[in-house]
Amino acid sequence: MIQYLATAKSISDLESDIIDTYNVLTDTPFDNQKAQTQISKIDIKYTDVTKERTAMPDIVFKYSADFTEHERKATLQTQLCLLCKKELAENLMLQNFFKEYK
């Protein structure tokens, strides 16, 4: 999905956030401040993703500012997966919508 989005001529806000999250996650060296900013951005912007992430088993509530580097990476990975899932679901709904109205 990342390769496709990176070459797309026009991308949605959600797709842009997927790319941004991926880039922060794969930055070398890992930048804890950028990671914290991205985690907060996704948590605020996509409350459905945040609710799904925090409802997962073994998730202990903790302010993201108190996360270790490992916890930030894990959170970004989870957010990235959930954002991709959201993108795929939205695309499937659009495809089904257009199939019905052809």
Side-chain angles (χ1 to χ4, degrees):
M1 177 179 278
I2 301 299
Q3 289 178 343
Y4 165 76
L5 294 177
T7 60
K9 292 179 182 177
S10 174
I11 60 173
S12 69
D13 201 32
L14 173 58
E15 292 166 337
S16 178
D17 289 333
I18 289 169
I19 292 171
D20 291 346
T21 302
Y22 175 80
N23 288 337
V24 170
L25 182 59
T26 58
D27 271 353
T28 305
F30 186 76
D31 185 331
N32 276 302
Q33 187 58 45
K34 281 173 72 174
Q36 176 58 44
T37 300
Q38 186 67 17
I39 289 167
S40 296
K41 174 184 167 185
I42 299 304
D43 279 348
I44 291 166
K45 194 169 183 181
Y46 301 99
T47 55
D48 56 329
V49 168
T50 303
K51 285 178 186 172
E52 190 170 353
R53 179 178 64 81
T54 57
M56 292 179 161
D58 299 330
I59 295 293
V60 176
F61 180 79
K62 182 176 174 179
Y63 290 105
S64 58
D66 296 331
F67 284 0
T68 64
E69 182 175 311
H70 175 76
E71 290 169 324
R72 283 191 180 101
K73 286 180 179 179
T75 299
L76 285 169
Q77 288 173 338
T78 303
Q79 286 179 326
L80 180 60
C81 290
L82 293 172
L83 290 171
C84 289
K85 175 182 163 186
K86 181 179 179 73
E87 171 67 16
L88 292 171
E90 287 179 7
N91 281 334
L92 286 174
M93 285 190 301
L94 278 175
Q95 287 175 2
N96 289 337
F97 174 80
F98 286 117
K99 280 181 186 176
E100 290 179 22
Y101 292 100
K102 277 189 175 184

